[in-house]
């Protein structure tokens, strides 16, 4: 018999789960208190597993530990119980269980939840997963009526429901963090619509932009990420319950009751698909990967900008660490770590895609492997967003250094070409004229605006003495005065629009 042992040293932590389980009876239990084998509801009347009726020998202890998921899926306990309460309620309303049975089951489930939340629940590896642990404890508590809860249900539709309920909640937390981060960025952009910095392409100075405009580019990336998560939430929020093992159930269930009780927007339309696919988790992880890619790009910019060579920004000390040997160091650890952590989220996406790719319909045990990648993805993303929501809106630009950097690299060369075009020169000719002027500037070691009118006019007689107002950084910015451009009044408008668009996620 694969009994539940009473090793007082064993504990619930995941380390316990990682220990080699071979022939070690202590791994059969995750409890710190004694349990009485014969009274354990996990076992049937012959002292076998819940599903042990057709078996002639007990599960090998290594196999029991190897196949168990309770070490990690206990994270779903609250959602599992929420689902069970809804299921029991539905069974009652449909006349499948008697009202008093339903009342007893629901009260029992609430007690089980209280035990779990108080940290007093004894998780057992012998009971494999969160579902059987909860059900077994329920039957311990309320007696034989607890065994009726699983009527018209399977762990296959149960787990698919749990993941969706859990991920829906995590998605909402993540969206909340994203909204916080985006409002912080809107405030930062608003303060810096006139702060000038070099805009880059190929990481070479391209044209002047405002720092506020750059920050609003980050806002837009995060805005689309939020939209993607919101959109994926609708597909995630469909209820598998009622699909039972794979084909549905012979009982006269009403799935609309459970769906409504659980706040699902709809019901999975095919039982085979409902218990089997994890595309909603893959979609979430894919959206998380895109989001982490964005955070990684922002991280890269901050890291670069914090270097002495750029000296564009500072981030508060609380997001940095020092060096054990070099006293001068202030290292941008948080953005570096977020950049690094994007790699593991991408990895989890590959894990989930690979997990699904060869699975025939319907449920396969492979799917138990969906949880840890998904948990890691959610935890990594949530942690990164928590850090960013506080850090990113609190970066301080070094306005003088940004301006000085914009003065290098001939950032207003395009403005001079556009000026020539307005004075009748074809753009390709104007491009060449300005190329010559830049070459002269490089030779003399000065900016275009430092060349004299006579020096400029030798390249084109379309240049007049009004040219210098177009070569200033402020003039360059102000001239890009259309929707999506960097002119300060456009950036101000973008902030206002951003604030009202953000309300859609509230
Ligand atoms: N622990 C399982 C999982 O995570 C629950 C479903 C088990 N179903 C089964 N037929 N063995 O996927």
């Amino acid at each position: 018999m694969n009994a539940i042992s009473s090793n007082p040293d064993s504990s619930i932590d995941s380390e316990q789960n990682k220990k080699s389980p071979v022939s070690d009876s202590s791994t059969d239990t995750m409890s710190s208190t004694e349990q009485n084998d014969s009274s354990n509801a996990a076992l049937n009347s012959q002292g076998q597993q819940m599903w042990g009726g057709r078996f002639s020998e007990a599960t090998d202890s290594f196999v029991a530990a190897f196949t168990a998921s309770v070490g990690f899926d206990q994270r779903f306990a609250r959602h599992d119980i929420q689902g069970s309460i809804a299921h029991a309620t539905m069974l009652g309303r449909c006349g499948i269980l008697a009202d008093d049975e339903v009342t007893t089951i629901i009260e029992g489930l609430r007690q089980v939840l209280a035990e779990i939340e108080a940290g007093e629940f004894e998780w057992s590896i012998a009971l494999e997963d969160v579902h059987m642990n909860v059900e077994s404890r329920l039957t311990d508590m309320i007696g034989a009526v607890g065994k009726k809860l699983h009527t018209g249900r399977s762990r296959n539709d149960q787990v698919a429901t749990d993941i969706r309920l859990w991920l829906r909640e995590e998605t909402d937390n993540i969206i909340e963090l994203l909204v916080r981060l985006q409002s912080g960025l809107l405030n930062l952009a608003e303060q810096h619509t006139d702060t000038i910095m070099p805009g880059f392409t190929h990481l070479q100075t391209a044209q002047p932009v405002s720092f506020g405009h750059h920050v609003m580019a980050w806002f837009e990336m995060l805005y689309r990420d939020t939209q993607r998560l919101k959109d994926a939430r609708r597909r995630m929020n469909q209820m598998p319950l009622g699909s039972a093992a794979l084909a549905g159930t012979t009982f006269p269930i009403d799935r609309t009751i459970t769906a409504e009780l659980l706040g699902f927007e709809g019901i999975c339309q095919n039982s085979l698909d409902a218990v089997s696919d994890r595309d909603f988790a893959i979609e979430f992880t894919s959206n998380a990967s895109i989001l982490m890619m964005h955070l990684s790009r922002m991280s890269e910019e901050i890291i670069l900008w914090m270097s002495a060579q750029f000296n564009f920004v500072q981030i508060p000390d609380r997001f940095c660490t020092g060096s054990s040997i070099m006293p001068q160091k202030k290292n941008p650890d948080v953005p570096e770590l977020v950049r690094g952590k994007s790699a593991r989220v991408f990895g989890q996406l590959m894990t989930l895609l690979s997990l699904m790719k060869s699975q025939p319909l319907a449920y396969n045990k492979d799917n138990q492997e969906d949880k840890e990648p998904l948990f890691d993805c959610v935890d990594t993303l949530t942690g990164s967003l928590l850090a960013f929501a506080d850090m990113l809106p609190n970066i301080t630009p070094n306005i003088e250094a940004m301006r000085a950097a914009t003065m290098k690299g001939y950032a207003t060369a395009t403005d001079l070409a556009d000026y020539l075009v307005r004075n009748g020169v074809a753009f390709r000719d104007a491009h060449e004229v300005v190329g010559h002027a830049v070459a002269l500037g490089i030779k003399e070691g000065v900016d275009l605006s430092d060349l004299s009118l006579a020096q400029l006019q030798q390249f084109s007689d379309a240049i007049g003495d009004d040219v210098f107002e177009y070569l200033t950084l402020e003039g360059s910015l102000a001239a890009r005065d259309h929707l999506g451009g960097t002119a300060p009044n456009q950036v101000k408008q973008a902030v206002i629009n951003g604030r009202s668009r953000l309300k859609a996620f509230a």
Side-chain angles (χ1 to χ4, degrees):
M1 180 178 88
N2 186 23
I4 295 169
S5 83
S6 54
N7 182 348
D9 295 330
S10 56
S11 68
I12 307 181
D13 68 18
S14 53
E15 278 310 303
Q16 165 73 21
N17 223 29
K18 287 180 204 145
K19 272 198 329 198
S20 166
V22 180
S23 310
D24 178 359
S25 65
S26 73
T27 56
D28 285 351
T29 181
M30 306 178 80
S31 134
S32 56
T33 0
E34 294 229 348
Q35 277 201 357
N36 180 345
D37 292 354
S38 58
S39 73
N40 196 290
L43 310 171
N44 68 13
S45 48
Q46 277 80 50
Q48 292 165 317
Q49 298 280 12
M50 274 178 168
W51 35 253
R54 56 101 68 219
F55 286 77
S56 55
E57 64 174 352
T59 315
D60 179 87
S61 65
F62 166 73
V63 172
F66 186 69
T67 54
S69 55
V70 65
F72 46 88
D73 68 13
Q74 56 182 268
R75 192 164 170 169
F76 291 144
R78 189 161 46 80
H79 307 89
D80 192 72
I81 291 173
Q82 187 190 1
S84 288
I85 290 176
H87 177 68
T89 307
M90 182 277 290
L91 291 177
R93 289 201 202 155
C94 294
I96 301 163
L97 290 189
D99 287 347
D100 60 328
E101 292 176 323
V102 174
T103 309
T104 311
I105 288 173
I106 291 177
E107 274 169 15
L109 284 166
R110 294 211 170 107
Q111 276 180 56
V112 175
L113 180 61
E115 236 179 57
I116 293 171
E117 287 179 340
E120 287 158 6
F121 192 89
E122 296 167 2
W123 297 101
S124 158
I125 283 181
L127 288 164
E128 214 175 305
D129 53 29
V130 61
H131 323 294
M132 292 203 288
N133 267 269
V134 168
E135 193 190 322
S136 162
R137 181 69 188 125
L138 176 72
T139 304
D140 274 349
M141 277 178 169
I142 65 170
V145 63
K147 295 183 183 176
K148 296 192 174 187
L149 170 62
H150 213 53
T151 311
R153 180 177 82 167
S154 152
R155 280 183 296 154
N156 296 351
D157 59 346
Q158 199 178 349
V159 69
T161 303
D162 290 4
I163 309 173
R164 287 172 189 253
L165 288 173
W166 173 81
L167 193 57
R168 181 178 81 180
E169 195 174 292
E170 295 295 337
T171 300
D172 291 342
N173 290 340
I174 287 166
I175 290 175
E176 210 177 296
L177 283 173
L178 272 166
V179 169
R180 210 164 93 201
L181 171 55
Q182 286 168 93
S183 5
L185 289 182
L186 289 169
N187 295 339
L188 181 66
E190 190 174 39
Q191 289 161 39
H192 293 287
T193 53
D194 294 277
T195 301
I196 296 176
M197 65 177 285
F200 300 95
T201 60
H202 313 268
L203 205 56
Q204 307 293 312
T205 301
Q207 291 169 356
V209 294
S210 82
F211 178 60
H213 196 49
H214 195 113
V215 170
M216 285 306 290
W218 291 344
F219 171 86
E220 292 298 334
M221 301 175 193
L222 296 171
Y223 189 83
R224 290 190 300 277
D225 289 326
T226 317
Q227 281 181 318
R228 267 186 283 272
L229 285 164
K230 270 265 180 198
D231 188 43
R233 189 192 189 281
R234 287 190 295 117
R235 277 179 293 280
M236 174 194 305
N237 201 18
Q238 304 288 318
M239 189 189 70
L241 215 53
S243 303
L246 76 164
T249 170
T250 57
F251 296 96
I253 57 167
D254 183 345
R255 297 179 75 198
T256 60
I257 297 175
T258 8
E260 199 180 317
L261 288 171
L262 294 171
F264 281 110
E265 281 166 60
I267 295 171
C268 297
Q269 298 291 301
N270 180 288
S271 61
L272 295 167
D273 173 52
V275 294
S276 145
D277 213 335
R278 296 292 181 264
D279 57 352
F280 65 91
I282 295 174
E283 192 176 1
F284 172 87
T285 312
S286 162
N287 292 337
S289 296
I290 298 174
L291 171 47
M292 284 301 293
M293 175 275 291
H294 283 151
L295 297 185
S296 182
R297 293 186 66 192
M298 296 169 201
S299 297
E300 171 70 7
E301 291 188 318
I302 291 164
I303 294 161
L304 214 56
W305 291 353
M306 266 183 72
S307 67
Q309 287 67 28
F310 270 86
N311 189 29
F312 280 8
V313 295
Q314 277 306 322
I315 60 177
D317 283 359
R318 63 180 183 280
F319 299 105
C320 301
T321 63
S323 154
S324 58
I325 175 171
M326 296 168 283
Q328 85 283 12
K329 291 300 284 294
K330 174 177 164 182
N331 295 328
D333 283 39
V334 169
E336 286 176 279
L337 256 182
V338 169
R339 188 177 58 184
K341 281 178 188 292
S342 63
R344 50 195 284 178
V345 174
F346 302 170
Q348 307 301 12
L349 173 61
M350 283 308 119
T351 303
L352 291 177
L353 283 169
S354 313
L355 177 68
M356 282 312 302
K357 77 179 265 295
S358 303
Q359 282 195 49
L361 288 168
Y363 175 86
N364 301 283
K365 184 79 170 182
D366 311 41
N367 273 351
Q368 185 162 289
E369 286 293 308
D370 61 358
K371 288 156 203 68
E372 289 159 296
L374 196 55
F375 292 159
D376 188 60
C377 171
V378 163
D379 292 341
T380 307
L381 180 58
T382 305
S384 304
L385 283 172
L386 268 171
F388 260 55
D390 188 14
M391 183 191 74
L392 211 54
N394 284 303
I395 58 179
T396 340
N398 182 348
I399 296 174
E400 290 73 36
M402 279 183 168
R403 188 180 177 86
T406 321
M407 294 303 291
K408 293 184 209 152
Y410 304 95
T412 56
T414 318
D415 296 87
L416 179 55
D418 289 352
Y419 167 88
L420 287 166
V421 169
R422 280 192 299 274
N423 286 356
V425 181
F427 183 78
R428 278 290 150 234
D429 298 330
H431 188 287
E432 193 182 341
V433 165
V434 180
H436 292 308
V438 167
L440 178 63
I442 292 170
K443 195 167 133 225
E444 307 262 307
V446 296
D447 185 57
L448 283 180
S449 59
D450 298 321
L451 294 172
S452 69
L453 184 59
Q455 280 176 308
L456 287 170
Q457 281 176 335
Q458 63 179 301
F459 303 114
S460 168
D461 53 15
I463 296 178
D465 59 6
D466 60 343
V467 69
F468 294 105
E469 58 191 88
Y470 298 98
L471 297 183
T472 64
L473 301 181
E474 282 73 13
S476 171
L477 245 65
R480 285 159 172 83
D481 190 11
H482 53 78
L483 180 78
T486 191
N489 62 305
Q490 291 294 343
V491 179
K492 280 190 188 95
Q493 194 52 51
V495 171
I496 294 168
N497 294 347
R499 284 215 173 94
S500 82
R501 285 157 68 204
L502 207 51
K503 289 202 185 103
F505 302 136

